[in-house]
Amino acid sequence: MRQDTNQRKGPDGNGRQTNLTTSGKTADEATQSAATPSDNATSKTTPNEATSSGGTDWKRIGWLAAAVIVLGAVIGAGAGLLTLLLYGVEHVMLGYIEGSSMPGPFIVPEWRRAVSVTVGLSIAAVAWYLLRTKTTKVPSVKKAVNGERMPWWQTVVHVVLQIFIVGSGASIGREVAPRELGAMLAQRFCDIFHLDGLDRRMVVAVAAGAGLGGVYDAPLAGMFFAVEILLADITIEKVAFGLGTSAVAAFVATLIKGHHTFYDITAMQPGETPTLMLFALLCGAVCGVAGALFRRGSQWAESHKPSGRALLWQMPLAGVLTGVVAVFVPQVMGNGRAAAQLGFSTFVGNDSGAALSATSAEASPWNLIGSGLTGGVSSGTGMGVGGDLHQYFWPMLGLLAISFAVKAVVTLLTIRSGASGGVLQPGIALGATLGAMLALPWLLVCPIDSATACALIGAAALLSASQQAPLMAMCLVMELAEAPITFFVPVGMAVAVSAFVSHWLVERWKRTAKRQR
């Protein structure tokens, strides 16, 4: 008598379906399958999840291929259009469009910065109040992966509002919007192909990751976001499916929005050094602590969001406060690109072999901040653009510290006020500025390293700690900066240390909280 290879007896005696891989399900998947009526059947398998005994399920392979091509292309188109929408909002609200030559609203008049973010969050407050209290609520991506339905037009409005507030200057990430759009589209795709159970869960998670990969042209990060964070189960099938869909989404998105390097790291040293590896260990530990604290703060802010009418005054108030801060610290605005670039562009003359081109020096936030104060872009060397470290040490350290502190506080304030958005880009901004801060005293002792390399290490390390996702964090930062592949070595070292330190702290806080109950 033949035994169906797609059935496996668990400890409870129930048959459980497995994917077309040799690995078993995670506990999270097992819980989900137990909670879903369609998965409780012990004697039946759906046509989508079963293979023919001793053969290949060509129907399943067919919809997987269709998902990679069709769903990836549609999500990529959506990610590209969302990027163009961001540029349009920035142009209307702030009078500029972010890019490699202008990473933030540094030359935008102070009054316009303050007015833009205040108006943007005030409009969004009214729209979100109506959306959350008068219509079907839009669930999170994780809930959508676990089966909760995403209403189509409410999701579209929710996505557009996130892009709108980021474009107007709100300090929050924009990466949740394409992920939600991808998850919603994937659910409709599953309806067409009648996919249920674990297959449906995989498709929705992969589509959400493809949204991230498409909007940032980062297919590796999109794949790891799906399998490392949403599914928490890395198998050959999930990796292949996720990477294929994210790659298609990234390709299609670039056809619409163009290809641009997100972060300029031209001041990077030629290669890694033994001292840079030592810095990676130390930076990883510091960023592990900072990332764990930022994770805890963002979770607190998310859990204390206002509901009901309180949203109508708290979000506008957050806009006013952000606007006041932006008058003096323009790099606090937006999803974090400006603040991160400040860290990546930190460049002092030393023995690292790094060189800053004239174009990069002119577009450096260190120069652009000066242009906002003096009315013109300075040229030559100076603070943060090749000047003497001993001369500019304290001013540079102070500006980086201010950028780090206000970006963290204003981002948490924006989330706490009721705004929806992500923390990936703010996490990168915090890591880049913290890495550059740590680099300044380090370069006094080890002048053969560059501040840009230290900032790159810090960005990946803090993102890894805050997200508890080292593979996704490392790939996202490396892809966004288009960093040389040799720097995977020090970045990987820092990411490993930060993930361990962050995990240890988070678990310790959980145990402490349980004892206090």
Side-chain angles (χ1 to χ4, degrees):
M1 180 171 140
R2 288 187 305 182
Q3 183 179 4
D4 190 341
T5 57
N6 288 319
Q7 296 290 335
R8 179 179 298 174
K9 292 292 183 178
D12 58 356
N14 290 332
R16 294 182 179 178
Q17 297 174 8
T18 64
N19 293 327
L20 299 180
T21 62
T22 57
S23 63
K25 295 197 298 290
T26 62
D28 191 35
E29 286 179 323
T31 302
Q32 176 63 22
S33 66
T36 306
S38 61
D39 293 335
N40 287 336
T42 60
S43 59
K44 296 181 180 180
T45 58
T46 65
N48 310 304
E49 300 177 47
T51 60
S52 304
S53 298
T56 301
D57 188 352
W58 293 106
K59 181 179 180 181
R60 188 169 187 270
I61 292 177
W63 69 251
L64 278 172
V68 168
I69 298 173
V70 178
L71 194 56
V74 173
I75 293 173
L81 293 174
L82 288 178
T83 303
L84 296 183
L85 175 62
L86 174 71
Y87 295 160
V89 174
E90 287 177 338
H91 178 69
V92 172
M93 300 292 288
L94 289 165
Y96 95 110
I97 297 177
E98 69 175 56
S100 57
S101 62
M102 189 61 60
F106 298 104
I107 62 173
V108 176
E110 292 87 346
W111 66 267
R112 189 164 184 173
R113 297 177 205 154
V115 170
S116 174
V117 67
T118 302
V119 171
L121 283 176
S122 298
I123 294 174
V126 176
W128 262 320
Y129 169 76
L130 296 174
L131 194 65
R132 294 171 182 173
T133 60
K134 307 299 181 182
T135 67
T136 304
K137 187 177 180 180
V138 178
S140 67
V141 171
K142 284 191 175 182
K143 290 182 179 179
V145 170
N146 288 329
E148 193 165 337
R149 186 73 172 177
M150 300 192 76
W152 75 269
W153 72 263
Q154 291 94 333
T155 300
V156 172
V157 173
H158 189 61
V159 164
V160 170
L161 285 174
Q162 293 176 58
I163 300 299
F164 173 73
I165 63 171
V166 173
S168 65
S171 179
I172 199 167
R174 63 183 171 101
E175 65 276 353
V176 172
R179 299 201 308 248
E180 290 180 342
L181 182 63
M184 186 271 290
L185 292 172
Q187 288 185 343
R188 273 59 189 179
F189 178 90
C190 291
D191 292 342
I192 295 174
F193 282 86
H194 306 290
L195 303 180
D196 294 308
L198 298 181
D199 281 344
R200 186 183 186 94
R201 185 170 186 266
M202 180 178 68
V203 172
V204 175
V206 163
L212 173 66
V215 78
Y216 288 133
D217 194 13
L220 282 173
M223 178 271 292
F224 278 123
F225 179 84
V227 301
E228 190 178 25
I229 295 180
L230 296 179
L231 295 173
D233 181 25
I234 300 179
T235 66
I236 294 296
E237 182 179 81
K238 293 180 176 65
V239 169
F241 183 32
L243 187 57
T245 308
S246 289
V248 172
F251 174 74
V252 174
T254 56
L255 297 179
I256 297 174
K257 63 183 179 65
H259 174 76
H260 310 285
T261 303
F262 203 77
Y263 295 123
D264 182 358
I265 58 168
T266 53
M268 178 80 75
Q269 64 199 71
E272 73 271 18
T273 62
T275 54
L276 189 64
M277 293 298 295
L278 180 58
F279 175 84
L281 291 173
L282 300 175
C283 183
V286 175
C287 288
V289 176
L293 290 172
F294 183 62
R295 177 184 178 89
R296 190 175 188 181
S298 59
Q299 289 175 340
W300 172 86
E302 188 71 33
S303 64
H304 287 78
K305 277 185 175 182
S307 58
R309 296 184 180 275
L311 185 71
L312 296 174
W313 66 267
Q314 290 192 22
M315 277 186 64
L317 177 60
V320 172
L321 295 176
T322 302
V324 171
V325 173
V327 169
F328 306 97
V329 190
Q331 61 268 30
V332 76
M333 301 187 79
N335 65 352
R337 183 175 187 174
Q341 191 59 59
L342 183 72
F344 292 131
S345 297
T346 303
F347 176 66
V348 293
N350 60 7
D351 302 325
S352 66
L356 189 65
S357 66
T359 302
S360 296
E362 186 175 343
S364 169
W366 294 99
N367 264 336
L368 295 172
I369 290 173
S371 73
L373 299 175
T374 64
V377 177
S378 60
S379 59
T381 60
M383 186 174 73
V385 287
D388 181 68
L389 176 59
H390 294 83
Q391 179 183 358
Y392 294 111
F393 180 87
W394 290 111
M396 290 168 62
L397 186 64
L399 184 54
L400 287 167
I402 290 173
S403 299
F404 176 86
V406 297
K407 187 62 180 178
V409 172
V410 175
T411 299
L412 297 180
L413 172 66
T414 304
I415 298 173
R416 171 64 178 82
S417 71
S420 293
V423 291
L424 296 187
Q425 286 296 335
I428 292 176
L430 295 177
T433 50
L434 180 57
M437 288 169 58
L438 297 174
L440 297 181
W442 182 263
L443 296 184
L444 292 175
V445 181
C446 303
I448 63 172
D449 296 323
S450 66
T452 300
C454 296
L456 183 76
I457 290 170
L462 196 144
L463 181 63
S464 167
S466 63
Q467 295 295 310
Q468 289 287 285
L471 296 175
M472 184 278 297
M474 179 170 59
C475 290
L476 180 60
V477 172
M478 294 292 285
E479 287 178 302
L480 287 175
E482 297 186 2
I485 195 169
T486 55
F487 283 93
F488 265 109
V489 177
V491 168
M493 180 68 72
V495 163
V497 173
S498 68
F500 175 80
V501 171
S502 174
H503 179 73
W504 179 79
L505 282 174
V506 170
E507 292 301 316
R508 184 176 181 178
W509 290 336
K510 288 180 180 179
R511 291 193 297 267
T512 301
K514 288 181 179 179
R515 287 196 299 266
Q516 292 175 350
R517 290 174 184 172

